Amino acid sequence: MKFFIDTANIEEIKEANSMGMADGVTTNPTLIAREKGDFEDIIKEICKIVDGPISAEVISLDTEGMLKEARHLASIHKNIVVKLPMTIDGIKATRQLSKEGIKINVTLIFSPLQALMAAKAGATYVSPFIGRLDDISNEGILLVEQIVEIFNNYAFDTEVIVASVRNPLHVLDAALMGADIATIPFKVLSKFASHPLTDKGIKAFLDDWNKANK
Ligand code: E4P
């Protein structure tokens, strides 16, 4: 399973990369807005740190605007994946850009048929937002299960990026379902490494060592 880092924060990206846990990066306009600096400069900086797919999102809502923005973003670096919203205009743009060899991540997926449409249009990735579904009392992870099943049924190459991840269990469940990728906020990733029994075990080993005066 690939781990992408869901942030535009350079320090977080560097730290995750040094752990070998950044197979790629996803950004969105909200994540970019949290950081200081120009959008393209931030994206270029990320591309220097991580050698993997880097998602950068368009802000246009019409197909023509998306095509223009997407072609420009894709020209910035070979690893750029253009994020397009799951709308009819987004689907039309996905179809055209995929034919041009530009990798597309269709974002804001909340139903399995949206994912199927995006895959049929040629998307390289789809991003189901599971945390936002949980927020409205719909079990988000069930969406991932359905998308993985549909893509397996028809052998689509489109990869599933589990997005809007809020806790480690989201990633565990996604991994058990065979999702290709989880895009993970840094603070959630940091929680994977810790376990109270690990801390307790380390302390006990050191205490025993010190007691024996080695
Ligand atoms: C990633 O592609 C998404 O933009 C991100 O995971 C959204 O997460 P949120 O629902 O926590 O904003």
Side-chain angles (χ1 to χ4, degrees), residues 5-7 25-31 34 55 57 83 105 107-108 110 127-133 135 161-166 183-185 187:
I5 300 301
D6 196 25
T7 181
V25 179
T26 52
T27 67
N28 64 36
T30 303
L31 294 172
R34 275 186 206 152
S55 285
E57 189 159 341
K83 243 177 163 184
N105 172 1
T107 189
L108 291 163
F110 292 98
S127 290
F129 276 34
I130 66 171
R132 294 191 195 187
L133 281 169
D135 290 345
I161 304 180
V162 177
S164 190
V165 162
R166 302 274 163 80
T183 189
I184 310 165
K187 68 172 190 310

Side-chain angles (χ1 to χ4, degrees), residues 58 62-64 66-67 70-71 81-107 109 114-126 158:
V58 303
D62 62 300
T63 304
E64 276 313 308
M66 288 182 198
L67 291 176
R71 288 174 185 136
V81 173
V82 179
K83 243 177 163 184
L84 299 179
M86 176 57 226
T87 58
I88 297 293
D89 279 78
I91 287 297
K92 288 179 186 168
T94 299
R95 183 164 177 261
Q96 176 57 34
L97 293 162
S98 302
K99 282 185 194 158
E100 295 173 24
I102 293 174
K103 291 193 169 130
I104 303 298
N105 172 1
V106 178
T107 189
I109 297 270
Q114 287 181 319
L116 181 53
M117 256 187 144
K120 282 176 70 63
T124 303
Y125 304 101
V126 291
T158 307

Side-chain angles (χ1 to χ4, degrees), residues 52-204:
I54 313 294
S55 285
E57 189 159 341
V58 303
I59 49 161
S60 296
L61 298 178
D62 62 300
T63 304
E64 276 313 308
M66 288 182 198
L67 291 176
K68 200 168 160 220
E69 269 190 75
R71 288 174 185 136
H72 175 67
L73 288 171
S75 74
I76 293 176
H77 193 278
K78 65 176 173 51
N79 287 344
I80 296 288
V81 173
V82 179
K83 243 177 163 184
L84 299 179
M86 176 57 226
T87 58
I88 297 293
D89 279 78
I91 287 297
K92 288 179 186 168
T94 299
R95 183 164 177 261
Q96 176 57 34
L97 293 162
S98 302
K99 282 185 194 158
E100 295 173 24
I102 293 174
K103 291 193 169 130
I104 303 298
N105 172 1
V106 178
T107 189
L108 291 163
I109 297 270
F110 292 98
S111 85
L113 291 179
Q114 287 181 319
L116 181 53
M117 256 187 144
K120 282 176 70 63
T124 303
Y125 304 101
V126 291
S127 290
F129 276 34
I130 66 171
R132 294 191 195 187
L133 281 169
D134 288 356
D135 290 345
I136 58 158
S137 306
N138 280 7
E139 218 177 320
I141 199 69
L142 297 181
L143 172 61
V144 174
E145 189 173 33
Q146 290 178 324
I147 296 172
V148 168
E149 187 174 340
I150 291 168
F151 286 6
N152 285 341
N153 284 347
Y154 297 99
F156 279 109
D157 290 334
T158 307
E159 292 189 74
V160 180
I161 304 180
V162 177
S164 190
V165 162
R166 302 274 163 80
N167 57 61
L169 270 185
H170 276 156
V171 181
L172 174 61
D173 287 339
L176 290 168
M177 284 168 189
D180 305 282
I181 303 150
T183 189
I184 310 165
F186 185 76
K187 68 172 190 310
V188 176
L189 179 74
S190 311
K191 289 181 185 162
F192 295 5
S194 354
H195 196 288
L197 289 181
T198 307
D199 298 340
K200 197 177 164 195
I202 291 169
K203 186 176 178 312

